[in-house]
Structures are given as structure tokens and as C-alpha cells.
Amino acid sequence: QEQLVESGGDMAQAGGSLTLSCAPSGRAFGTYAMGWFRQVSGKEREFVAAITWRNGNRNYADSVKGRFTISRDGAKNTVTLQMNSLKPEDTGVYYCAADPYGRREYSLGDVRSYHIWGQGTQVTVSS
């Protein structure tokens, strides 16, 4: 069963930067798109960013546009989320997810598009 592993979660001060990475835990697998979501306790998981694997099209939540950058490395089958100008409201558990099928029944900002998830990595931003 395919799984994803996130890394890079840490504590940071407001205005700082962190880089999250995501890779398959086992063998590489084909995917249509990969995304990052975040969740705060008691709230729903929210979309952060997504990238299509073949042509690199990127989508971002309005709250992170201009601050976060998602990228992919086809050779390593990894996806990275560069987070700059961090704010306290960026705090949460960040999850990496893969859409292996590309059925496009839902948008890439919708959790229902994704069928493979990581366990999450904690990001804490202090003011």
C-alpha cells in the first residue's frame, strides 16, 4: 500500500521560513497531482497548495499566495513546500497527499481528490 512521509515540520518565529518535504515511504508510484493540506485541532483540514505532476501547474490557497511555493522533483518523486513570511495562523499539522488517478471529479483544493495521505508534520509559528 502506497504511503507518504512528510518531513521538515518545526517551530519558527513569525516572518521566518520552513521547508516541508514529502516522499513515498516505499516504492515510487505514478500520480496525477500532489497537494499540501493543514489542520488545526477542532477544525477541518484545509487546502494549502497543489501541483500537477506532468506539467507542474500550481494552485494555492489565497491565504498563502505569495508566501508559499510548491515544487516537485520528478527524479526523486518528492514534493516540497517552501514556506516564507510565516504567520502564527500558519500553525497546524501539515499533510501531504497524492491524487494518483486524476479523475478530476473534484478540484485539487478538495480533500476528496486525494487518496494517499501522509501522517502529517507539525508546524508551529510563534508571534
Side-chain angles (χ1 to χ4, degrees), residues 54-121:
R54 181 176 181 181
N55 53 23
N57 286 340
R58 296 171 171 84
N59 294 332
Y60 295 97
D62 288 342
S63 59
V64 306
K65 281 181 181 177
R67 300 189 298 121
F68 290 11
T69 302
I70 188 171
S71 59
R72 76 207 190 291
D73 185 327
K76 297 180 180 179
N77 213 39
T78 59
V79 63
T80 299
L81 185 68
Q82 176 65 43
M83 306 187 296
N84 298 326
S85 302
L86 285 164
K87 302 177 181 180
E89 51 263 44
D90 294 320
T91 294
V93 178
Y94 282 69
Y95 296 91
C96 176
D99 169 10
Y101 308 122
R103 294 173 182 155
R104 292 183 278 184
E105 295 172 328
Y106 307 101
S107 75
L108 288 180
D110 192 315
V111 295
R112 292 173 293 182
S113 289
Y114 300 89
H115 301 275
I116 303 171
W117 291 85
Q119 295 299 309
T121 185

